[in-house]
Amino acid sequence: MSTDHASLANCIRALAIDAVEAARSGHPGAPMGMADAVTVLARNHLKFDATAPEWADRDRLVLSNGHASMLLYALLHLVGVENVTLETLRNFRQIGSPAAGHPEFGHLPGVETTTGPLGQGFAAAVGMALAERMLRARFGESMVDHHTYVLVGDGCLQEGIGQEALSLAGHLGLGKLIVLYDDNGITIDGDTRVSFSEDVPARFAACGWHVAECDGHDPEALDAAITAARANTDQPSMVAMKTTIGFGAPTKAGTAAAHGAPLGSDEAAAAKQALGWEAEPFTIPDALAAAWQAIGARGAGARAAWQTRIDAAPAEQRREFQRCMAGELPAAFTQAVQAARDALLAAPQTVATRKASQMALDALADSLPELVGGSADLTGSNLTRVPAVEPLFTRESPGRYIGYGVREFAMAAAMNGMGNHGGIIPYGGTFLVFSDYARNAIRLAALMRLGTIFVMTHDSIGLGEDGPTHQPVEHLAALRAIPGLNVYRPADAMETLECWELAIRHRHAPSLLALSRQATPQLRQGENGMNLCERGAYILRRYGSGDDLTLLATGTEVALAVEAADTLNAEHGLGVRVISMPCWEHFEAQPADYRSAVLGDAPRLAVEAAGKFGWTRYVETEDDVIGMTGFGASGPGPALYGHFGITAAAIAERARTRLGL
């Protein structure tokens, strides 16, 4: 049997048809249309060893149009990646199968990132290219020198995040990023002319990209375009491939009918006949299987040469590279944390928690050269930039601080891509209210169990005069609803340091720090040798010998609860405990006896300058929550707290009413 290009590409098409038919669900059209491009890429360009799919210096291949997942699964199976078996493909989209409907990071070797919502794979690939550039500058080309390829469709470029990603990558000149654009002219609603008519190559070119256009079914043209893209190292490159969705299907090719549903048994059989494919379902003829296995082994020599260079590198450099890629923290980090704690105990600080965050970063970043920061055009407000993460990343110099511009969504997704790549601990800042823009990437970080750190300042009505459009009310509840996301709202400088320590240590869960604009006193001024925030909630103060009332609070409102408790004890002799709850997620993970011991049996009130939703897991009704019942208002922050009744006096009065005093 011939092992020419067409026959190799048809292996991908046949497996995609078979898996979608077996699942009675899926998207056969895009894999059939992009099979030629992926075959050329794998056969001639991709630096990848199927026997070591997690090799650190491999090229990254991201399928941003993740509905075409069978394209990636078929490729991984054909090149011989272990565990991507025919049985895996037969169970495509079934419960318990690692071959999920959209590629899921961590489910199968070779899946570089989770790509469900369109465009996020593109932005994650930008993050991977950023990581490659920074690590190459730090460790040298002998250790780090690879490309990032990303397959995108029309939907990825219609989504706003697609524009954010291509604009950022062009501005930063990420020359090792190559986009293969599947220009098939079809979306779910039919021909793209329904909603999409711009000149896409011109759009990329306007943003500083090298652009090529070719027939997506011509292997020679594809090879030439990718070769030119690889040679252009000063700009990211986009290859616009004109393809036919459902290539080979007699009646459905080139139509929306090939997009999101099985071809059907008759059309599937006719498509195979048109392609000259005679093998049984889920069967690859021996000669073609061997040819694909040889493609999968093509990178073995490059990997062996890389390993030789790693072994020959100076021992300290080699160990540091291996430590970073393994996600292990240096011993100096623990020492830096302790020194920062000692400094706060020696000189307690009354500062905004956003300022306390900057202080923590200043204390810790020197010990973590893999820590990479940034902000979505709010550096002076988020306070995310410290000397240790200088200089700014530019196209000429890949520094440790990235100016993402007003691109919150792309920032969050690019940080996820850095985490997918490895060797980098990314953090980036914006206002908490703009977590709405970044929310889907925050959700994917949790889904992928990535240690991305989201720094969200201006966390309440305390931001003041910018008004209700910028004052987050429902955001804490919405973020706490995301499974696997650790939401930290520290009360003071010491808690902020502890939350930063936890965010850095938790490499398999994302963290979000909600930080204040307004100053708050340092309530923790004694040392017990423990990171109390790790428990999620703890007894901060106890007044009196009895147990009459419990006040629960987060963030800057903890200081108000302490003031109210002091008043209630002084005026009524009440036994009051004040519970600081910097992280509900950590608290819920504690043993039941610890949670019971902290909360106690007394009546409880909760205080948080945000919506009340969610607090009834800890108090009886929302009447027991001192918080917001609607949106905020424009005015000075302290005045707004008084206007909305979130004050120590209001807490004390509510307590008297609750206790019948």
Side-chain angles (χ1 to χ4, degrees), residues 69-87:
S69 54
M70 267 310 303
L71 176 72
L72 182 57
Y73 300 152
L75 175 67
L76 294 174
H77 167 72
L78 289 167
V79 298
V81 172
E82 188 177 7
N83 297 329
V84 190
T85 64
L86 282 175
E87 189 64 24

Side-chain angles (χ1 to χ4, degrees), residues 262-281:
L263 296 178
S265 58
D266 291 343
E267 184 81 1
K272 289 183 178 182
Q273 183 177 11
L275 295 168
W277 188 263
E278 298 178 353
E280 293 296 313

Side-chain angles (χ1 to χ4, degrees), residues 218-307:
D218 181 337
E220 287 77 20
L222 284 162
D223 184 61
I226 296 171
T227 299
R230 287 170 54 86
N232 192 316
T233 57
D234 295 329
Q235 300 168 282
S237 295
M238 187 273 270
V239 178
M241 313 176 303
K242 192 63 182 175
T243 64
T244 300
I245 192 171
F247 181 86
T251 68
K252 295 186 178 181
T255 73
H259 173 77
L263 296 178
S265 58
D266 291 343
E267 184 81 1
K272 289 183 178 182
Q273 183 177 11
L275 295 168
W277 188 263
E278 298 178 353
E280 293 296 313
F282 294 107
T283 301
I284 303 298
D286 291 344
L288 290 173
W292 269 112
Q293 293 275 334
I295 292 171
R298 198 175 61 82
R303 182 175 68 85
W306 173 83
Q307 189 61 57

Side-chain angles (χ1 to χ4, degrees), residues 447-520:
L447 189 63
M448 291 188 280
R449 302 185 64 197
L450 291 175
T452 312
I453 302 173
F454 304 98
V455 181
M456 302 283 177
T457 68
H458 296 60
D459 68 345
S460 71
I461 57 172
L463 70 88
E465 291 85 350
D466 278 346
T469 60
H470 283 54
Q471 292 165 6
V473 173
E474 73 277 22
H475 298 73
L476 287 170
L479 291 163
R480 286 168 179 155
I482 298 176
L485 173 66
N486 293 324
V487 179
Y488 298 101
R489 190 165 186 252
D492 64 2
M494 184 64 81
E495 282 196 1
T496 303
L497 173 64
E498 290 183 347
C499 291
W500 260 110
E501 179 188 7
L502 294 171
I504 289 169
R505 289 195 182 281
H506 284 80
R507 295 294 80 227
H508 297 292
S511 300
L512 186 144
L513 285 81
L515 305 169
S516 73
R517 181 191 185 195
Q518 72 275 22
T520 189

Side-chain angles (χ1 to χ4, degrees), residues 287-505:
L288 290 173
W292 269 112
Q293 293 275 334
I295 292 171
R298 198 175 61 82
R303 182 175 68 85
W306 173 83
Q307 189 61 57
T308 298
R309 295 193 299 272
I310 292 290
D311 294 340
E316 183 176 348
Q317 181 187 15
R318 181 175 67 252
R319 284 194 296 268
E320 182 66 2
F321 176 75
Q322 292 169 338
R323 178 192 69 76
C324 288
M325 294 307 296
E328 298 170 355
L329 299 179
F333 175 69
T334 299
Q335 299 163 6
V337 171
Q338 189 56 55
R341 291 179 70 90
D342 292 343
L344 288 176
L345 292 171
Q349 301 291 311
T350 297
V351 293
T353 54
R354 64 169 176 164
K355 179 61 178 177
S357 170
Q358 186 181 49
M359 293 163 56
L361 278 169
D362 199 31
L364 303 179
D366 265 330
S367 69
L368 283 173
E370 64 267 41
L371 190 66
V372 170
S375 174
D377 200 50
L378 289 169
T379 293
S381 293
N382 299 149
L383 304 183
T384 43
R385 194 169 180 178
V386 296
V389 297
E390 297 288 356
L392 185 70
F393 189 111
T394 65
R395 62 190 309 132
E396 296 81 19
S397 174
R400 285 175 61 187
Y401 192 83
I402 301 166
Y404 289 101
V406 189
R407 303 183 183 98
E408 296 90 352
F409 196 178
M411 175 184 74
M415 290 196 297
N416 288 344
M418 293 181 209
N420 292 134
H421 182 281
I424 299 290
I425 298 176
Y427 73 88
T430 187
F431 289 170
L432 181 60
V433 75
F434 299 144
S435 64
D436 282 344
Y437 287 145
R439 180 180 171 83
N440 206 269
I442 297 171
R443 180 177 183 269
L444 284 196
L447 189 63
M448 291 188 280
R449 302 185 64 197
L450 291 175
T452 312
I453 302 173
F454 304 98
V455 181
M456 302 283 177
T457 68
H458 296 60
D459 68 345
S460 71
I461 57 172
L463 70 88
E465 291 85 350
D466 278 346
T469 60
H470 283 54
Q471 292 165 6
V473 173
E474 73 277 22
H475 298 73
L476 287 170
L479 291 163
R480 286 168 179 155
I482 298 176
L485 173 66
N486 293 324
V487 179
Y488 298 101
R489 190 165 186 252
D492 64 2
M494 184 64 81
E495 282 196 1
T496 303
L497 173 64
E498 290 183 347
C499 291
W500 260 110
E501 179 188 7
L502 294 171
I504 289 169
R505 289 195 182 281

